[in-house]
Amino acid sequence: MRIPILKLHNYLLISIQIDLDDQTAIQFQEDLLNKIHQSGATGVVIDLTSVDIIDSFIAKVLGDVVTMSDLMGAKVVLTGIQPAVAVTLIDLGIHLNEVTTALDLEQGLIKLRQELEE
């Protein structure tokens, strides 16, 4: 199953509404990088509100997506990180220190605009 990627001005918006398995995560990574390249997007908001748990592979892919997007010139904001997901990321040593986070999609868009205007 593919995760929809929406374009809004120079931003890409993604709301992950399904449980991520390894194949879906890899497909998402490829789709997002291709969409950044095709659209020239400067910002990406990934909403994780519906993601209750992640395993080590999905956590690594998520961290890789953030790094790869940055290398392609797109700033990433993660929104809606659930407590269990935050704990798992830290337990696995994936700190995402340089990644902007927000409580919800609306706040994520606001933070993205602020960061890109600086």
Side-chain angles (χ1 to χ4, degrees):
M1 172 171 252
R2 284 202 142 110
I3 297 170
I5 301 172
L6 306 175
K7 186 171 186 313
L8 177 67
H9 307 293
N10 285 340
Y11 306 143
L12 298 177
L13 307 177
I14 301 105
S15 180
I16 300 176
Q17 299 289 320
I18 59 172
D19 288 334
L20 289 173
D21 58 45
D22 293 358
Q23 183 178 358
T24 303
I26 292 296
Q27 186 66 56
F28 166 65
Q29 178 177 292
E30 291 174 10
D31 289 349
L32 177 58
L33 297 176
N34 286 330
K35 191 77 166 185
I36 291 169
H37 179 72
Q38 292 167 358
S39 68
T42 57
V44 177
V45 178
I46 302 174
D47 182 45
L48 301 170
T49 302
S50 296
V51 177
D52 294 325
I53 57 170
I54 58 172
D55 63 21
S56 59
F57 182 77
I58 302 300
K60 182 189 179 320
V61 169
L62 185 60
D64 290 349
V65 162
V66 171
T67 303
M68 291 175 191
S69 297
D70 187 53
L71 287 171
M72 295 183 69
K75 175 73 177 163
V76 175
V77 175
L78 297 177
T79 65
I81 297 175
Q82 300 297 319
V85 172
V87 168
T88 301
L89 288 171
I90 298 304
D91 284 349
L92 295 171
I94 300 172
H95 297 283
L96 303 174
N97 292 331
E98 301 296 318
V99 180
T100 302
T101 60
L103 289 177
D104 58 31
L105 187 59
E106 182 179 4
Q107 291 298 314
L109 279 170
I110 291 168
K111 284 189 174 187
L112 188 58
R113 278 193 211 114
Q114 290 171 344
E115 291 211 8
L116 292 175
E117 289 175 0
E118 291 178 353

